[in-house]
Amino acid sequence: MAAPSHTYTLPQPLPLDGGQAIEGAAIAYETYGELAADKSNAILVCHALTGDQYLASPHPVTGKPGWWERMVGPGKPIDTSRYHVICANVIGSCMGSTGPASAAPDGKPWAMRFPVITVRDMVRGLVALLDGLGIERLHAVVGGSMGGMQALSLAANFPERAARVLAIATTARHSAQNIAFHEVGRQAIMADPNWRDGDYYGHDTAPDAGLAVARMAAHITYLSEAGLTEKFGRRLQDRDAKSFGFDADFQVESYLRYQGSGFTRRFDANSYLYITRAMDYLDIAEEHGGKLADAFAGHAMGKGARFCLVSFDTDWLYPTSESRHVVHALNAAGAPVSFVELSAPFGHDSFLLDVPPLDRVVKGFLDG
């Protein structure tokens, strides 16, 4: 099992876009590799919606390998014999950083009293952590999916803090379809009678049924139709004929139920509400007067970071058009940017899976 995470308590209140501030916010994080004496080799990896700080070490609840263990480690594309890699649990989550399950100033869980947060608020927390670690400028900030949103937000709001920005399978704004899928998940959680208006901490039951349905619906968006067809097709699960009932007749049904039930063991339902809401509020252009190029003005003519954006041809959650939208804005801002669309059969989850061309892009960009 993983050793306990490091925890950094912010010395100042964390200001939020909603106008509130969190006193004594804690950020749980893991590190891999040695930090250079001049602190020039630090890479911040930002996690996705249901990820955590256990980037390349076993998860303490599930015992499963780190979520990007194939990418991070000695001799791997993000080489921990060369770089000091930091991965922190975002504010609002449930793996040690302050979130709705944490104790509020009155000693009771925040629950739905926790303030609504944004991706930019998450990034403010990460920058406060970097301040606490004495790291003024990152060698790179890297992330896929919501992690990529954080990487772009850091570049837009703190342009001096990273020399390289690698954003994979991501977007600078959530679309109506993105918001719609998240709303289905939130409603599934809130419709579960065990949700109790978010005040289920201390009870014997949590809204696991609703959270499982939310995870099932979201998981479909992470896969491609071709990938689902190849993996499952219409094959039956442990039977030779249809049951003419409502058990999991099909393999794909069984798979989704397994994904949903497993997820409830390691994730908090209220955190799911808060983080999906933060993602839905994301619109980096809106934060900077309505023009995305203006958000990246701090990177003009090579005075800020170099960018690399990666998309996948089967990702319909954050399709290539979303990455191109960001690339066009970076071009308009005069920021140095490279972009590649990779072919992979796995849909949005391709950034987590075995796609050797991605390994080459990541290594080439970070080491170049």
Side-chain angles (χ1 to χ4, degrees):
M1 287 297 186
S5 288
H6 309 287
T7 302
Y8 176 70
T9 301
L10 274 55
Q12 303 295 330
L14 179 67
L16 305 175
D17 281 343
Q20 296 172 266
I22 302 174
E23 300 269 357
I27 307 279
Y29 67 99
E30 291 284 315
T31 63
Y32 310 87
E34 294 297 319
L35 183 62
D38 63 359
K39 300 187 177 183
S40 64
N41 69 333
I43 293 178
L44 176 66
V45 176
C46 304
H47 69 73
L49 164 58
T50 63
D52 48 53
Q53 65 271 38
Y54 298 103
L55 174 70
S57 47
H59 194 280
V61 176
T62 66
K64 291 182 178 179
W67 58 266
W68 227 12
E69 198 168 75
R70 61 171 305 279
M71 186 68 73
V72 179
K76 294 181 180 179
I78 303 178
D79 188 351
T80 53
S81 61
R82 181 173 182 174
Y83 301 114
H84 176 69
V85 180
I86 305 159
C87 187
N89 193 218
V90 298
I91 289 288
S93 194
C94 53
M95 287 302 295
S97 293
T98 299
S102 306
D106 63 4
K108 298 177 182 177
W110 278 101
M112 298 307 286
R113 298 178 299 157
F114 193 73
V116 170
I117 55 170
T118 65
V119 170
R120 183 161 58 177
D121 294 333
M122 297 175 184
V123 170
R124 287 192 187 102
L126 295 175
V127 169
L129 170 63
L130 295 177
D131 290 343
L133 297 175
I135 297 170
E136 293 183 9
R137 186 168 170 86
L138 294 162
H139 178 78
V141 58
V142 180
S145 193
M146 189 185 84
M149 299 174 195
Q150 293 168 72
L152 293 174
S153 180
L154 186 143
N157 294 289
F158 303 92
E160 73 287 351
R161 298 306 293 255
R164 294 165 184 79
V165 179
L166 176 53
I168 308 168
T170 194
T171 182
R173 62 189 177 187
H174 246 204
S175 69
Q177 179 174 262
N178 296 147
I179 296 167
F181 273 109
H182 274 174
E183 177 62 2
V184 169
R186 287 190 292 264
Q187 289 299 322
I189 290 168
M190 293 188 286
D192 188 325
N194 289 327
W195 183 59
R196 297 182 176 89
D197 294 324
D199 192 20
Y200 53 84
Y201 306 109
H203 290 269
D204 292 335
T205 53
D208 289 348
L211 181 58
V213 171
R215 173 64 169 175
M216 291 166 71
H219 198 74
I220 297 166
T221 71
Y222 304 153
L223 309 171
S224 69
E225 183 182 8
L228 277 171
T229 300
E230 181 179 353
K231 190 169 185 176
F232 303 111
R234 290 182 50 82
R235 291 186 290 278
L236 300 179
Q237 177 71 22
D238 299 330
R239 64 199 65 196
D240 298 321
K242 301 180 188 71
S243 68
F244 286 87
F246 294 96
D247 196 6
D249 276 359
F250 295 99
Q251 287 181 6
V252 68
E253 293 174 304
S254 178
Y255 171 76
L256 287 175
R257 292 183 188 190
Y258 172 79
Q259 288 291 331
S261 64
F263 183 59
T264 63
R265 292 177 51 214
R266 67 174 181 88
F267 213 81
D268 177 61
N270 283 342
S271 282
Y272 196 89
L273 298 179
Y274 276 89
I275 298 176
T276 56
R277 179 49 105 203
M279 295 171 73
D280 290 348
Y281 277 5
L282 180 77
D283 186 338
I284 294 175
E286 183 182 71
E287 295 172 359
H288 294 82
K291 192 174 179 183
L292 189 57
D294 290 346
F296 299 115
H299 302 278
M301 306 304 292
K303 66 183 180 183
R306 290 197 292 120
F307 290 78
C308 179
L309 275 87
V310 182
S311 68
F312 297 98
D313 60 354
T314 55
D315 183 356
W316 56 274
L317 184 64
Y318 303 129
T320 293
S321 58
E322 293 298 318
S323 289
R324 282 210 180 97
H325 177 67
V326 177
V327 171
H328 291 157
L330 288 165
N331 284 332
V337 56
S338 55
F339 166 62
V340 62
E341 180 191 55
L342 299 178
S343 183
F346 311 116
H348 179 63
D349 265 356
S350 294
F351 78 98
L352 296 170
L353 302 173
D354 185 17
V355 180
L358 177 63
D359 299 357
R360 293 191 287 273
V361 170
V362 170
K363 180 175 175 57
F365 181 67
L366 295 180
D367 294 353

